[in-house]
Amino acid sequence: MGENEAGLPNTSLQGKKMAYQKVKADLRTSGHSQYLDNDDLQATALDLEWDMEKELEEPGFDQFQPDNAEHQNLGHSETLDLRLDSIQPAMSPKGRFQRLQEESDCVTHYTRSAPKSNHCNFCYMLKMLCIATALFIFGIIIGYYAHTNCSSDASLPGTNNPQLYQEILKTIKAEDIKKSFRNLLQLSDSEDDMEISKKIKNHWIELGLEDAQFINYSVLLDVPGPSPGTITVSSTGQCFYPDGQPCREEARRGHSQDLFFSYAAYSAKGTLQADVIDVSYGTVDDLKRITKLKNTTNQIALLKLGKLPLLYKISLLERAGFGGALLYIDPCDVPESAVIRSEPFMVTLNPGGDPSTPGYPSHDGSFRQSRPNLTSLLVQPISASLVKMLISLPKLKMDKDTCIHLELPQNEKRTVSLQVQTVTKFKTVSNVVGYLRGLTSPDRYIIVGSSHRAGHSYKGQEWASSTAAITAFIEALMLRVKKGWRPERTIVFCSWGGTPWGKIGSYEWGEDFVKILQKNAVAYISFHSPIQGNSSLYPVASPSLQQLVVEKIKFNCMRRAQCLGANVSSVQIQGDADYFINHLGVPTVQFAYEDIKTLEGPSFLAEAIFPKHAAKIEELDPSFNLHEVITKLSGEVILQIASEPVLPFNALDIALGVQNSLKGNQPNVPSLLSLASRLRDSAELFQSDEMRPANDPKERAPSRVRMLNDILQDLEKNFLVPWVPPGFYRNILYHLDEKTSQFSILKEAWEHCSPQTSNETLQEALSNVLNSINSAHISFKAGLDLFESVLLGKN
């Protein structure tokens, strides 16, 4: 016997449809039952009939059919006996109730021969009428409670109901986020990091989150030593701390522990006396120019943060033979009001995870590699005020709107002695992880992450801002869960530890559960540092999620001018999304507010971590309305990905992004362009032939939806390449910044390529891009072939 798409036997379905049609026809000619004189009961019965009729289309409805039920041919009612078999659930539920409503008429129209005894006939009719009445009243009671339950929960899991999402999100209030934020800051002033983690965990449990727990790892951290770093000018003997203050005990006491946290984690340790060479931003062009003019061996580079990943620039300095680097932020690259114009800061030279266990989790008994430093350079961040003293910048009269970039004159020589005194030690990093298990697909995970305070004297506020926002969403979500609703997929909430040292908590957790996450992770939503400014919304999303993010911004910005005109991009970002993007190929979304001047300036300035309250959150967002916007935008994206039957990923946008990334000044390789065109064709076919029907409830089949979702969540994995320059994303769908649309690895390889050098680097980059596009094309094609074969098999 063949099956339809819903998995039901065809003959059974036809029988049910015939029963429904016959009873519906009988209803037109028969009078209403006495039991339907009551309008309330009639409406309730009809509601139940409609609900039960819908279940005919659901797979597995035959489970409700008793074994002794038989399909009857209602087209020949004159051949049937008046038995209870005629109202068994094998027939249409709607027909069942209508037959009961017509029972009195059915007796009068029945065509059997008259009984021999009028008394027996009367008793028989009375008996049947009593049974029918009891069953009918029982059905009404069931229908009433079923209707009540459905009304109490407006949306069942697996349905697209924006109204439900808004009901959940409307409980998120700015004043509640502000209160939570202040409470967290009070904790940071009085308790250590482990206590803060415990408070977060206990609060999540109080809100109702399931299985909230600690997941701890013993990792190698590079922390401040007994003394802060120093820079001594050889010609004068003057010694300075990184903030520009003289090396005196009173200056050190006045700055408390902040001086100690002005360092580069995992830098080489020791002392180096050498000339300072200004390399500007340390780009390939900058270093080509410098190395032609000067000997850079064992010299100290004066390096600006920004434009390119710091790890990449450090690798270029190592290749050029430098022995050290003084790192700073040019005041012209940041807003005039920003405190960071004159403050020292911390950076990390760790690409991610525990340096002593690269690529595998830090469990007790794991092999530990000896890696006290991750570079051969002595690296020291310093303030812009100290740079001005080193280059002896004259006080020039200038227009107040003019900003002069800091630069050491090429014909002047500065010799300094650089001392770095950090130490490495093993410490425990804790993650707080809690779950809200999905109802129908509990093995599919939407991961939502923020970070909590790390560093024994680290006084930043960003962690409290992100923790308050994610906690507000959890509270709103659990209020709905307590009323009986659940998402279709599991939502995993994570508060990461060890983020300043190189996203250590998230990396270790990802490496610990990599096999599960590779198969089951659907998306990652980041709450990292949501308020970095207050003038412009800055959304970042994977290509497959950009359309969803644009829709949410348009809907939510109708009432809020702060997020109008926001452009969604796929660019490298800071925070704990790194592992999920680069090692798992998981689609990612992050919302944040920024200053327009920062967005217009060089990228990667956010790699600097300020130990003081460099970004005072309450000054940027005094009413916490921006926090509320970020929380609601992120929350709606989470709810839709977790609850929609078909994942709201746009496959065609990936193909269009690939084509756009092949534009520009880089070499046009015909094979790449041709393959990108075929990828777009297959993506269009996949979008129209598979995704559109799956989004139609009338055409949706659970088995096909599951296969479709598996393909969608794995699409970005095709674009993970095995090797990239330090600091670059392995997921080549992400660009370095908004100003460049080319594939980052192709752009970097093309800049290195010259007639004097081998073009092996360029060829390797081209091969990686080609293989990624081809893999995605095969994935689309295999999906189309699979669906076609399944359809042919059912037919």
Side-chain angles (χ1 to χ4, degrees):
M1 180 185 301
E3 294 186 355
N4 53 43
E5 281 193 358
L8 297 172
N10 292 331
T11 56
S12 174
L13 185 61
Q14 291 172 358
K16 293 170 185 174
K17 289 184 178 178
M18 292 172 62
Y20 169 77
Q21 293 169 355
K22 172 62 172 67
V23 176
K24 186 175 181 182
D26 290 345
L27 184 61
R28 294 195 186 101
T29 60
S30 61
H32 289 295
S33 169
Q34 58 182 323
Y35 304 109
L36 293 181
D37 291 340
N38 186 300
D39 292 337
D40 292 336
L41 294 182
Q42 182 177 1
T44 304
L46 290 176
D47 282 341
L48 177 63
E49 292 168 13
W50 184 82
D51 287 337
M52 295 188 67
E53 180 189 8
K54 282 176 56 182
E55 289 194 25
L56 287 176
E57 298 179 7
E58 296 293 330
F61 180 80
D62 287 348
Q63 296 172 359
F64 298 99
Q65 179 174 328
D67 295 335
N68 63 345
E70 297 176 359
H71 296 290
Q72 305 291 342
N73 186 351
L74 297 185
H76 302 281
S77 60
E78 66 275 12
T79 64
L80 301 178
D81 289 337
L82 189 62
R83 299 176 302 172
L84 292 180
D85 292 342
S86 63
I87 55 172
Q88 291 296 322
M91 301 304 175
S92 166
K94 187 167 185 176
R96 169 185 174 183
F97 284 96
Q98 290 176 336
R99 292 174 73 87
L100 290 175
Q101 294 166 13
E102 298 175 328
E103 195 62 44
S104 59
D105 291 330
C106 190
V107 172
T108 59
H109 294 303
Y110 201 62
T111 59
R112 295 180 59 183
S113 58
K116 294 181 180 180
S117 171
N118 290 335
H119 177 72
C120 294
N121 183 46
F122 176 77
C123 292
Y124 180 77
M125 291 175 59
L126 183 62
K127 180 180 179 181
M128 291 298 100
L129 187 60
C130 290
I131 293 174
T133 301
L135 290 174
F136 180 66
I137 294 174
F138 182 67
I140 288 178
I141 293 173
I142 295 176
Y144 174 77
Y145 283 105
H147 180 70
T148 302
N149 290 338
C150 290
S151 300
S152 65
D153 192 359
S155 178
L156 295 175
T159 60
N160 180 3
N161 193 336
Q163 182 180 357
L164 170 66
Y165 304 156
Q166 293 305 312
E167 289 177 1
I168 294 174
L169 298 173
K170 73 180 180 182
T171 61
I172 297 173
K173 303 296 182 182
E175 54 267 25
D176 295 334
I177 302 176
K178 186 175 185 177
K179 181 179 179 181
S180 177
F181 171 81
R182 288 179 171 178
N183 290 337
L184 289 168
L185 288 185
Q186 290 177 359
L187 289 176
S188 68
D189 291 336
S190 59
E191 303 184 31
D192 62 24
D193 302 333
M194 195 64 187
E195 287 300 313
I196 292 176
S197 301
K198 289 180 181 178
K199 293 289 186 181
I200 294 172
K201 175 195 168 189
N202 292 337
H203 191 190
W204 287 6
I205 291 175
E206 290 171 2
L207 294 176
L209 207 58
E210 302 161 355
D211 299 329
Q213 56 187 286
F214 286 126
I215 302 181
N216 300 329
Y217 301 95
S218 178
V219 301
L220 184 68
L221 299 183
D222 193 27
V223 297
S227 300
T230 60
I231 300 94
T232 304
V233 180
S234 299
S235 60
T236 63
Q238 288 181 297
C239 174
F240 298 97
Y241 288 132
D243 64 349
Q245 296 298 314
C247 299
R248 293 195 297 268
E249 187 64 27
E250 55 269 25
R252 178 173 161 182
R253 287 197 303 268
H255 287 75
S256 183
Q257 295 293 312
D258 292 339
L259 283 176
F260 290 86
F261 280 84
S262 300
Y263 75 105
Y266 306 103
S267 164
K269 286 78 175 169
T271 303
L272 173 65
Q273 183 171 353
D275 293 341
V276 176
I277 299 177
D278 192 339
V279 297
S280 189
Y281 292 97
T283 65
V284 173
D285 290 337
D286 289 333
L287 292 176
K288 284 181 179 178
R289 171 177 51 84
I290 293 297
T291 52
K292 289 180 180 178
L293 299 175
K294 297 184 177 182
N295 178 16
T296 58
T297 304
N298 289 328
Q299 304 302 324
I300 298 175
L302 184 60
L303 176 66
K304 295 180 183 180
L305 189 68
K307 287 195 175 181
L308 289 169
L310 176 60
L311 294 183
Y312 177 63
K313 298 197 285 189
I314 293 296
S315 70
L316 296 180
L317 293 178
E318 287 180 321
R319 193 182 308 172
F322 281 91
L326 297 175
L327 182 65
Y328 72 102
I329 297 176
D330 194 314
C332 296
D333 291 337
V334 295
E336 186 175 356
S337 59
V339 183
I340 62 176
R341 290 167 68 94
S342 58
E343 293 292 336
F345 52 92
M346 171 188 171
V347 295
T348 181
L349 306 181
N350 179 13
D354 178 11
S356 70
T357 58
Y360 54 96
S362 298
H363 291 308
D364 292 339
S366 299
F367 172 69
R368 304 281 182 169
Q369 299 185 23
S370 178
R371 304 178 73 194
N373 52 273
L374 301 179
T375 177
S376 61
L377 272 63
L378 275 71
V379 181
Q380 176 62 57
I382 60 176
S383 67
S385 58
L386 177 55
V387 175
K388 292 178 182 178
M389 287 187 283
L390 291 177
I391 65 176
S392 301
L393 182 67
K395 294 183 178 180
L396 301 176
K397 292 184 179 180
M398 60 187 75
D399 187 357
K400 63 178 181 179
D401 296 327
T402 301
C403 184
I404 299 179
H405 289 272
L406 300 182
E407 182 180 359
L408 178 65
Q410 293 294 334
N411 57 349
E412 295 188 15
K413 183 178 180 180
R414 299 286 188 275
T415 302
V416 301
S417 177
L418 171 61
Q419 186 177 42
V420 176
Q421 304 184 66
T422 59
V423 296
T424 54
K425 57 179 66 176
F426 284 96
K427 289 182 174 290
T428 298
V429 165
S430 296
N431 298 325
V432 182
V433 180
Y435 305 86
L436 173 58
R437 300 194 183 280
L439 188 62
T440 60
S441 297
D443 61 333
R444 292 295 182 262
Y445 308 130
I446 289 80
I447 303 166
V448 185
S450 66
S451 60
H452 52 258
R453 197 191 76 173
H456 293 280
S457 295
Y458 179 68
K459 298 293 185 181
Q461 295 184 347
E462 293 84 354
W463 70 272
S465 176
S466 64
T467 302
I470 194 174
T471 302
F473 175 68
I474 293 173
E475 183 174 7
L477 189 65
M478 298 313 296
L479 286 175
R480 191 68 186 188
V481 170
K482 291 174 183 176
K483 296 180 180 179
W485 177 87
R486 274 184 181 269
E488 184 171 307
R489 303 173 184 89
T490 295
I491 305 177
V492 184
F493 294 96
C494 306
S495 182
W496 308 115
T499 299
W501 286 276
K503 296 85 68 177
I504 290 181
S506 56
Y507 259 75
E508 294 307 307
W509 186 79
E511 292 169 351
D512 204 359
F513 299 95
V514 62
K515 297 299 182 184
I516 298 174
L517 296 174
Q518 283 176 337
K519 180 182 178 182
N520 298 339
V522 174
Y524 183 87
I525 312 301
S526 173
F527 276 84
H528 177 76
S529 193
I531 307 298
Q532 302 167 29
N534 58 10
S535 58
S536 179
L537 181 66
Y538 182 54
V540 175
S542 299
S544 58
L545 283 171
Q546 286 189 9
Q547 182 172 311
L548 175 65
V549 170
V550 169
E551 291 173 359
K552 300 310 164 193
I553 291 175
K554 286 182 178 179
F555 178 79
N556 286 278
C557 283
M558 293 174 64
R559 305 178 304 275
R560 303 178 186 276
Q562 296 103 318
C563 52
L564 292 175
N567 293 321
V568 186
S569 58
S570 298
V571 297
Q572 295 192 195
I573 54 177
Q574 301 302 310
D576 292 284
D578 188 282
Y579 185 84
F580 303 93
I581 295 173
N582 282 312
H583 295 270
L584 299 176
V586 173
T588 301
V589 173
Q590 176 176 294
F591 294 97
Y593 271 94
E594 275 278 13
D595 284 312
I596 293 179
K597 178 66 181 296
T598 302
L599 295 176
E600 293 173 349
S603 53
F604 296 100
L605 292 179
E607 290 183 312
I609 304 168
F610 290 86
K612 284 189 175 182
H613 296 176
K616 293 187 178 179
I617 303 299
E618 294 202 49
E619 292 180 5
L620 294 172
D621 186 21
S623 64
F624 275 66
N625 287 331
L626 301 185
H627 281 80
E628 181 181 324
V629 173
I630 294 291
T631 307
K632 288 184 174 180
L633 282 172
S634 302
E636 192 166 0
V637 169
I638 295 166
L639 288 171
Q640 191 155 343
I641 297 175
S643 303
E644 297 302 296
V646 179
L647 291 173
F649 296 170
N650 194 301
L652 181 57
D653 282 352
I654 292 180
L656 294 175
V658 168
Q659 284 192 316
N660 290 333
S661 296
L662 292 174
K663 298 176 181 179
N665 298 325
Q666 59 198 24
N668 291 322
V669 180
S671 57
L672 277 178
L673 298 175
S674 175
L675 189 56
S677 178
R678 293 201 298 273
L679 174 65
R680 176 175 176 173
D681 292 341
S682 59
E684 287 178 339
L685 190 61
F686 184 85
Q687 193 96 2
S688 60
D689 285 12
E690 302 304 334
M691 293 191 66
R692 245 173 239 163
N695 280 292
D696 185 350
K698 296 180 180 179
E699 301 184 38
R700 184 181 301 151
S703 59
R704 291 172 66 85
V705 169
R706 181 71 179 213
M707 289 188 294
L708 176 62
N709 286 337
D710 287 346
I711 295 172
L712 290 173
Q713 77 177 45
D714 288 342
L715 281 178
E716 290 198 17
K717 292 179 173 62
N718 296 297
F719 295 92
L720 296 179
V721 298
W723 183 89
V724 291
F728 281 53
Y729 272 10
R730 287 182 56 218
N731 188 331
I732 62 174
L733 293 175
Y734 288 78
H735 305 130
L736 287 175
D737 53 43
E738 296 87 350
K739 303 176 183 66
T740 57
S741 61
Q742 297 94 345
F743 285 117
S744 300
I745 58 173
L746 287 185
K747 186 174 184 297
E748 190 271 342
W750 180 242
E751 289 178 352
H752 269 95
C753 187
S754 66
Q756 290 80 20
T757 61
S758 170
N759 63 354
E760 289 183 1
T761 302
L762 178 60
Q763 293 300 321
E764 182 181 3
L766 288 170
S767 177
N768 283 332
V769 173
L770 180 68
N771 291 335
S772 296
I773 299 174
N774 186 58
S775 177
H777 173 62
I778 292 174
S779 179
F780 279 128
K781 191 173 183 303
L784 291 169
D785 292 343
L786 176 63
F787 288 126
E788 184 176 357
S789 64
V790 170
L791 184 61
L792 290 174
K794 287 197 172 187
N795 291 336

